[in-house]
Each structure stands twice: as structure tokens, then as C-alpha cells.
Amino acid sequence: MSDRAAELAATLIRNFNDVPLKPLLREPHYDALGARLARGTAARKLGASIDIVAPGKRGCPYHLHHAQEEMFIIVEGTGTLRVAGEMLPLKEGDVVFIPAGPEYPHQILNTSDAPLKYLSISTMEAPEICEYPDSGKYLAEGSLDKATPFEVIARGGAQPGLLEWRTLTDARPERQLRRTVFSREQQS
């Protein structure tokens, strides 16, 4: 392979079977292995990851996006798509399309006794607002220059005077953060 071909391959191609997987564990519900695939590629508006969810577990909370669309491709196993208040069966080969907006809150659950492996592909729209209906939380994230991304996480109504501002010092999923918690009264 020429140097140019090797450079193109490194910039344009990822093999989800070859990437190191990182554990994503938050007991009692969430247990998965995953890897982000688009980092370091030429992609500017696409994100992708490979996720392997343990039997009986979930990969992420029930949520909806206001800006980003998502697509999930079931590579191996079976599970359930919790979407818009319904439970839909998933099997190998299924492709799930989730548009942005409040109509399709969603979550993938591994309801089988074997690992569930899927690709997650998303548009990387910013800023993004993500809502979590089960917990009443929301996430606002974005960046004007990509060098200094930010996140704000709050629980609607639980502590109306409190916000949490998190400035990312490293990209997800490691999330090395500088964190400041302040009240709305301190802002004025």
C-alpha cells in the first residue's frame, strides 16, 4: 500500500471488530462495551459507535434529541426498542431510524440471554438538547469552536435554583471534567 493509500485508509476507514472497546457500566441497569468510531476520521457531521450490551441490560437511558438524528444497525443478537411508549422487537439485520424531536424518545434494551451488538450512527448537530423523560433531566451541549465543548445538565423542577455547568477537558466517553455548580441567584 502506498503512503497516500495508507493515509486515506487511516482517515476514512474504521473496522468495528478491530477497535478497543471500553466498558460503560452504571449498575444496576447499564452494562455495555463500546467504542466511538468517527473520531480521528474525515467525518465532520457524522458520529458512529459500536455498542455491545450485556444480557438483560441497557446501553443508555430512555432519551430524545432535539437536533440529532440517529440510526441503529443490529449486527448480532436480539433485543427490544423502547420507542414512543411502545416496545418493538429487534433482531440481527434490523435498521432503526430515529428522527430528532419529541415524538420518538428511544432506548435499546437487551431482553435476550446473549450479547446484543449494534452500530449507532448519528448526525452531529450542535447545539444539541437531549431530554431524559424517565428522570426529568435534560442535557444541553455544544461548542462554537470544537476546542472548548460544554455541557449543562439539569433536572427539570427538582431543584429549580440549581444548574450544573460542565466544561469538557477531554472528549467522551472518558469525560474528564472541570465542574462548577452554581445557583441561579449567583448568576445575577
Side-chain angles (χ1 to χ4, degrees), residues 104-186:
Y104 301 102
H106 57 279
Q107 177 182 48
I108 294 178
L109 305 104
N110 185 347
T111 50
S112 76
D113 59 0
L116 173 62
K117 184 177 190 177
Y118 59 92
L119 283 169
S120 301
I121 300 164
S122 65
T123 58
M124 299 300 288
E125 305 296 333
E128 167 69 303
I129 306 292
C130 189
E131 292 185 42
Y132 302 91
D134 289 344
S135 66
K137 291 182 181 178
Y138 64 87
L139 163 74
E141 63 182 353
S143 174
L144 295 176
D145 62 7
K146 300 259 185 204
T148 55
F150 71 89
E151 287 185 346
V152 176
I153 297 175
R155 186 183 307 269
Q159 294 179 324
L162 203 60
L163 292 176
E164 182 177 316
W165 174 274
R166 301 194 303 172
T167 302
L168 298 174
T169 58
D170 198 0
R172 288 188 215 176
E174 297 82 17
R175 292 191 179 198
Q176 298 171 359
L177 304 172
R178 292 188 309 264
R179 182 178 286 178
T180 305
V181 178
F182 55 92
S183 72
R184 287 196 175 101
E185 291 77 29
Q186 290 172 327

Side-chain angles (χ1 to χ4, degrees), residues 3-44:
D3 288 346
R4 176 73 175 136
E7 180 183 317
L8 285 169
T11 304
L12 301 174
I13 299 171
R14 293 292 181 268
N15 186 307
F16 62 75
N17 290 316
D18 296 338
V19 296
L21 301 173
K22 295 183 179 186
L24 307 165
L25 180 64
R26 281 191 356 222
E27 290 293 348
H29 302 295
Y30 308 99
D31 185 359
L33 295 171
R36 301 212 179 245
L37 302 171
R39 284 202 184 112
T41 69
R44 298 292 174 258

